[in-house]
Amino acid sequence: MDARNCRMCGKMFNYISGRQICSNCKKDLEEKFAEVKEYVREHKDASIAEVSEELSVPVKQIKDWIREERLQFSAATGEICCENCGKPITTGKFCDNCRKKMVNKLDNAYQKPQVEIKRDRKTNPKMRFLDN
Ligand SMILES: [Zn+2]
Ligand SMILES: [Zn+2]
């Protein structure tokens, strides 16, 4: 058992994984999240500060949800920026451009083992026959 203090209410609870908050607070937070999501859907040009004030949710919490891509603001308000280039974005951590660049990098990483497989084939006479 891994007993820890809940980051929200300070109570001891049995920590399993994810955020360090107790099940009560987790439930409250999920209810809050549903409210926020609904509010953002109805008020398409609401800013983070406005949502925070209207629903008494900390700005940091709202930003966390955005970074987790659970919440998306329809307009880039300049409050959430790409962590790589600083361009305003509406959800997640990076802008489309930086995200694409990162996907390309990942692709390259995946291609490396394939290159090695091809090289192995050429050193293996039987496989070379198949290649031709
Ligand atoms: Zn708690
Ligand atoms: Zn970017």
Side-chain angles (χ1 to χ4, degrees):
M1 183 165 153
D2 187 5
R4 296 196 195 181
N5 286 94
C6 169
R7 283 216 180 135
M8 288 181 80
C9 68
K11 267 191 224 156
M12 290 285 273
F13 73 105
N14 186 11
Y15 177 79
I16 301 163
S17 67
R19 284 164 181 240
Q20 199 172 315
I21 54 176
C22 70
S23 53
N24 267 342
C25 292
K26 209 173 258 181
K27 197 172 141 273
D28 285 352
L29 207 58
E30 284 311 303
E31 278 167 16
K32 215 61 186 169
F33 175 71
E35 270 179 50
V36 168
K37 204 174 178 183
E38 186 65 24
Y39 187 90
V40 170
R41 207 168 57 87
E42 280 173 13
H43 305 81
K44 291 209 183 299
D45 44 40
S47 66
I48 293 173
E50 185 188 328
V51 176
S52 164
E53 209 166 293
E54 284 293 318
L55 302 173
S56 57
V57 183
V59 167
K60 196 189 163 294
Q61 181 59 67
I62 297 172
K63 286 188 177 178
D64 278 353
W65 283 327
I66 295 172
R67 294 295 191 197
E68 287 163 13
E69 294 187 39
R70 295 184 68 190
L71 201 61
Q72 178 164 21
F73 280 71
S74 51
T77 55
E79 288 161 291
I80 291 290
C81 298
C82 171
E83 285 185 2
N84 193 46
C85 70
K87 200 176 132 190
I89 50 173
T90 56
T91 192
K93 287 190 169 102
F94 305 105
C95 69
D96 286 346
N97 267 342
C98 292
R99 211 181 290 213
K100 265 181 217 153
K101 273 184 218 159
M102 276 164 212
V103 168
N104 283 342
K105 263 186 206 164
L106 279 181
D107 279 353
N108 287 340
Y110 282 133
Q111 274 162 15
K112 265 183 195 164
Q114 283 171 8
V115 171
E116 273 160 34
I117 288 165
K118 271 180 199 159
R119 213 178 284 147
D120 280 344
R121 276 186 181 179
K122 282 189 177 149
T123 55
N124 183 330
K126 279 180 194 163
M127 293 306 280
R128 188 192 272 171
F129 180 71
L130 284 178
D131 273 346
N132 293 338

